[in-house]
Amino acid sequence: MNRAPRALTFSGVTVRNLMRQPMRTMLTALGVSVGVIAVVALAAISRGFWDMTSMALRLGGCDLLVFQTGVAADILSSLEEKATRAALASVDAVEAVAGAIFTVQPVNDQPFMVVIGAREDDFSYRQLKPTQGRKPQRPDELMVGRVAAQTLCVKVGDKIRMGRHEFTISGMFELGLVVVDGGVMIDLDVLQEMTNRQDQITAAPVKLKPGADRRAAVEEIERRFPEFKAISEVEEYVKVDRGLVIMQALVWGVSGIAVLVGGLVVLNTMWMSVFERTREIGILRALGWSRRRVVGMILMESALISLLAAAMGSVLGVAVAQLATVMHITEQFVQPVYGPALFGWATLLAVAIGALGGVIPSWRASTFSPVEALRYE
Amino acid sequence: MSRTAELAAAALEAAAAPREIAVRARGLVKSFERGSIVALDRADLTIHAGEAIAIAGPSGCGKSTLLNLIAALDRPDAGEIEVFGTSLRSLTRKQADLFRSGTIGFVFQLHNLLPHLTAHENVQIPMVRAGISAEQRVSRASMLLDRVEMSHRVNNLPPTLSGGERQRVAVARALANHPRLILADEPTGSLDTRSGSQVLDLMRQIQREDGVTLVIVTHDLQVAQSASRVVHMRDGRITDA
Ligand SMILES: Nc1ncnc2c1ncn2[C@@H]1O[C@H](COP(=O)(O)OP(=O)(O)OP(=O)(O)O)[C@@H](O)[C@H]1O
Ligand SMILES: [Mg+2]
């Protein structure tokens, strides 16, 4: 028994054209998706950094973070603790000032581990409730974050090594922020001594009085104390750390490369495909198809390849970003974030790739004289 | 002669007298390769509406070139060509595309069908445009395939059809948009005599039933005899029009 024949549509024709060489279509889409994978993974990680930074800014009821002016990265900032506390306390809107060191140290066999030094009685630290054990009470005790405990394969009561010193894990904490949970927390005095930074801190978390305006406080602090950079929003973080800007620039750069390479891949495939179909294009023209429709057909084919690549690239990009986390490459530092904007960006890339790769072959197809095309065997 | 017979004859003559002209070509010139190849050399031809005409001549005498000019696929270097009163010289490219899809049905010799589309889909191709609904496309394609006795092969891909079957599908496709003029360039060139004459009979039958004009180009005099009129071509000119 015959299947009932179905209507042929314009988009149906283009899909059928692509299905003719399924392997070529898939391989082309796969080639294009490599760039999309890179962009999606990188953008997810960059977005993760961004979100994490904005959460870190509010940790422990913090309104502002104050750093040293003119540094390239937040962990390179250095302030004198006593003077900084006194200066910031003199600002009207300020309710409380804390001091902290954020640094990176080798711990056991991990070459880079976030180490945070904090003071027992500071507002930001007082709030912290260990999920297991207790806060350190002796100089040779410290707390590990949940992720760090996993990475180091340690539990409360175990001993770990940092430089020449040995510590006992008195407790474990979890703040839901990978960069912090991936680190260890230690008394500020101990860390200052251990790293030879007496009376030094990297940043001063500041809590404002209820109802105080953060922006106004930032302005006042920076006006009165030019040696300070105060940050209340993640957008201002670039003042002390170029990391976010570099990440963002990297996403743009890789996107550009993805469009260029993907565009060339599509161009190559569609260019060959147009020439292979010279006679068919002549037949279509003889049957009354306009140039415009032939151009549309080629453009739509390259658009479909690119959208397929965007879909494949999005799925694989998420897989790559997750894999980087699962394989302990990034998990102590960042949790990738996948928003609708990310997949919107991937789709936009695909459109650009499709346009770049489709325009030239479709233009070429439109210049085929139907007479010549029909003579072509 | 009886009075009634006389009247009937007069009426017939009156009806036939201002016979509509399908194609009027005057002094067509077309050359290629910057004039070194003269494919048409002042060709004149008149084809009446409803006629079945064969254009016969040896290979390279300019038959396909003439057909392409009639279909507005190409433009003459000199001369005038009118199809159903439309002067093709004055058409813009867009108008030429519209003219072709509305007036002309094409049948070629070889590689006529798109190989990855079924017979039914091939017949639908000329109808893939604004103004024809999906249901209309499907039902008209089915009807046309039925008419060329191919309704048992609607879902077949061209490579699974015999040469004669493929040409019958091509004839159905040429009829898709109710053309007034069917142009067939060597439609039986790749067929054996038997399936060739089947295809020719089919085209003649459709031409008579629908009153369309049929132009068959061939180098085979046997094939040419199936038309109601044969004109001969030689070196880019019609020798006996
Ligand atoms: N696009 C073209 N470019 C160059 N030469 C062409 C072109 N089209 C036709 N010709 C030449 O013009 C002459 C007439 O060609 P045409 O195809 O009209 O002949 P034909 O009568 O259809 O021949 P055949 O029976 O072999 O199909 C030939 O010499 C051919 O080589
Ligand atoms: Mg020819």
Side-chain angles (χ1 to χ4, degrees), chain A residues 190-203:
Chain A
V190 175
L191 188 57
Q192 282 174 338
E193 188 146 338
M194 207 175 84
T195 57
N196 243 329
R197 289 201 265 188
Q198 279 79 7
D199 196 39
Q200 298 288 304
I201 51 176
T202 52

Side-chain angles (χ1 to χ4, degrees), chain A residues 2-10 12-13 16-17 20 277 279-280 282-293 369-372 374 377, chain B residues 68 73-74 93-94 97 100-101 106 108 110-112 114-118 120-121 124-126 128-130 134 137-138 142 151-152 154-155 173:
Chain A
N2 269 336
R3 278 174 297 123
R6 292 226 299 265
L8 185 69
T9 58
F10 179 69
V13 174
R16 299 294 286 279
N17 286 342
R20 249 162 124 168
R277 290 186 283 165
R279 179 168 171 90
E280 277 180 43
I283 290 175
L284 288 174
R285 301 276 283 116
L287 295 178
W289 275 37
S290 63
R291 258 166 192 259
R292 185 190 293 232
R293 180 162 315 167
S369 129
V371 173
E372 303 257 8
L374 285 169
E377 288 294 312
Chain B
N68 289 336
L73 278 170
D74 211 348
R93 256 202 304 256
K94 216 167 155 183
D97 290 335
R100 204 177 309 120
S101 86
F106 242 119
F108 306 97
L110 259 179
H111 309 303
N112 209 337
L114 302 196
H116 60 302
L117 299 182
T118 64
H120 196 274
E121 288 165 336
Q124 288 185 64
I125 285 178
V128 176
R129 62 186 170 99
R137 279 205 288 276
V138 171
S142 298
S151 46
H152 59 303
V154 285
N155 291 321
R173 185 179 63 183

Side-chain angles (χ1 to χ4, degrees), chain A residues 164-182:
Chain A
R164 301 186 314 276
H165 305 259
E166 200 176 58
F167 294 87
T168 305
I169 299 167
S170 68
M172 199 198 291
F173 62 88
E174 178 164 15
L175 292 169
L177 209 59
V178 204
V179 71
V180 180
D181 292 345

Side-chain angles (χ1 to χ4, degrees), chain B residues 79-136:
Chain B
E80 281 301 325
I81 181 158
E82 267 179 32
V83 177
F84 291 109
T86 305
S87 168
L88 301 188
R89 287 204 103 170
S90 60
L91 296 183
T92 64
R93 256 202 304 256
K94 216 167 155 183
Q95 288 170 326
D97 290 335
L98 272 176
F99 157 81
R100 204 177 309 120
S101 86
T103 310
I104 308 281
F106 242 119
V107 181
F108 306 97
Q109 173 180 357
L110 259 179
H111 309 303
N112 209 337
L113 304 176
L114 302 196
H116 60 302
L117 299 182
T118 64
H120 196 274
E121 288 165 336
N122 263 285
V123 177
Q124 288 185 64
I125 285 178
M127 296 187 276
V128 176
R129 62 186 170 99
I132 303 182
S133 74
E135 299 83 67
Q136 281 174 301

Side-chain angles (χ1 to χ4, degrees), chain A residues 43-349:
Chain A
I45 289 171
S46 161
R47 180 76 219 179
F49 266 114
W50 186 267
D51 286 7
M52 191 176 67
T53 308
S54 60
M55 275 169 74
L57 266 173
R58 298 280 172 266
L59 222 53
C62 175
D63 287 302
L64 317 173
L65 277 177
V66 173
F67 292 91
Q68 180 191 3
T69 300
V71 290
D74 50 9
I75 61 167
L76 299 178
S77 158
S78 178
L79 299 167
E80 286 175 19
E81 183 178 3
K82 289 195 186 69
T84 302
R85 284 179 186 269
L88 291 172
S90 76
V91 175
D92 261 354
V94 172
E95 181 174 295
V97 183
I101 290 183
F102 301 101
T103 186
V104 175
Q105 293 272 320
V107 175
N108 280 1
D109 52 353
Q110 291 289 317
F112 303 106
M113 182 141 274
V114 171
V115 176
I116 300 167
R119 262 189 213 298
E120 176 71 71
D121 39 5
D122 274 344
F123 75 91
S124 47
Y125 185 63
R126 236 179 293 139
Q127 286 208 337
L128 179 66
K129 301 266 179 291
T131 50
Q132 280 178 38
R134 52 169 175 75
K135 291 186 179 177
Q137 284 163 1
R138 298 200 327 252
D140 64 343
E141 286 182 342
L142 53 66
M143 275 200 294
V144 293
R146 186 194 53 80
V147 179
Q150 247 172 32
T151 320
L152 295 165
C153 296
V154 293
K155 57 185 189 310
V156 175
D158 286 355
K159 290 193 188 318
I160 59 175
R161 233 177 339 91
M162 198 188 311
R164 301 186 314 276
H165 305 259
E166 200 176 58
F167 294 87
T168 305
I169 299 167
S170 68
M172 199 198 291
F173 62 88
E174 178 164 15
L175 292 169
L177 209 59
V178 204
V179 71
V180 180
D181 292 345
V184 302
M185 210 173 276
I186 173 174
D187 181 70
L188 184 57
D189 280 325
V190 175
L191 188 57
Q192 282 174 338
E193 188 146 338
M194 207 175 84
T195 57
N196 243 329
R197 289 201 265 188
Q198 279 79 7
D199 196 39
Q200 298 288 304
I201 51 176
T202 52
V206 171
K207 187 182 174 72
L208 298 180
K209 288 177 180 154
D213 180 28
R214 288 185 187 131
R215 203 155 294 265
V218 166
E219 274 168 28
E220 184 181 345
I221 291 169
E222 292 189 346
R223 193 185 64 235
R224 281 179 53 193
F225 309 103
E227 67 271 31
F228 293 161
K229 272 281 168 245
I231 289 158
S232 69
E233 306 299 332
V234 63
E235 288 79 9
E236 300 163 2
Y237 214 82
V238 296
K239 291 193 286 190
V240 293
D241 200 311
R242 308 292 296 162
L244 285 176
V245 189
I246 292 169
M247 282 292 284
Q248 208 55 46
L250 217 55
V251 171
W252 277 102
V254 173
S255 297
I257 294 171
V259 168
L260 204 68
V261 173
L264 286 174
V265 170
V266 174
L267 173 62
N268 179 51
T269 296
M270 293 311 297
W271 183 264
M272 282 188 342
S273 156
V274 159
F275 275 88
E276 284 167 11
R277 290 186 283 165
T278 300
R279 179 168 171 90
E280 277 180 43
I281 289 170
I283 290 175
L284 288 174
R285 301 276 283 116
L287 295 178
W289 275 37
S290 63
R291 258 166 192 259
R292 185 190 293 232
R293 180 162 315 167
V294 170
V295 167
M297 177 177 83
I298 307 298
L299 281 178
M300 185 141 166
E301 286 175 26
S302 55
L304 285 177
I305 292 182
S306 308
L307 286 175
L308 183 64
M312 286 162 58
S314 296
V315 172
L316 293 174
V318 169
V320 165
Q322 283 307 114
L323 206 65
T325 306
V326 171
M327 289 175 66
H328 307 303
I329 298 167
T330 59
E331 77 161 335
Q332 307 167 55
F333 303 108
V334 69
Q335 186 69 44
V337 173
Y338 317 99
L342 178 65
F343 300 109
W345 183 239
T347 310
L348 208 67
L349 281 187

Side-chain angles (χ1 to χ4, degrees), chain B residues 52 171-172 218:
Chain B
V171 170
T218 182

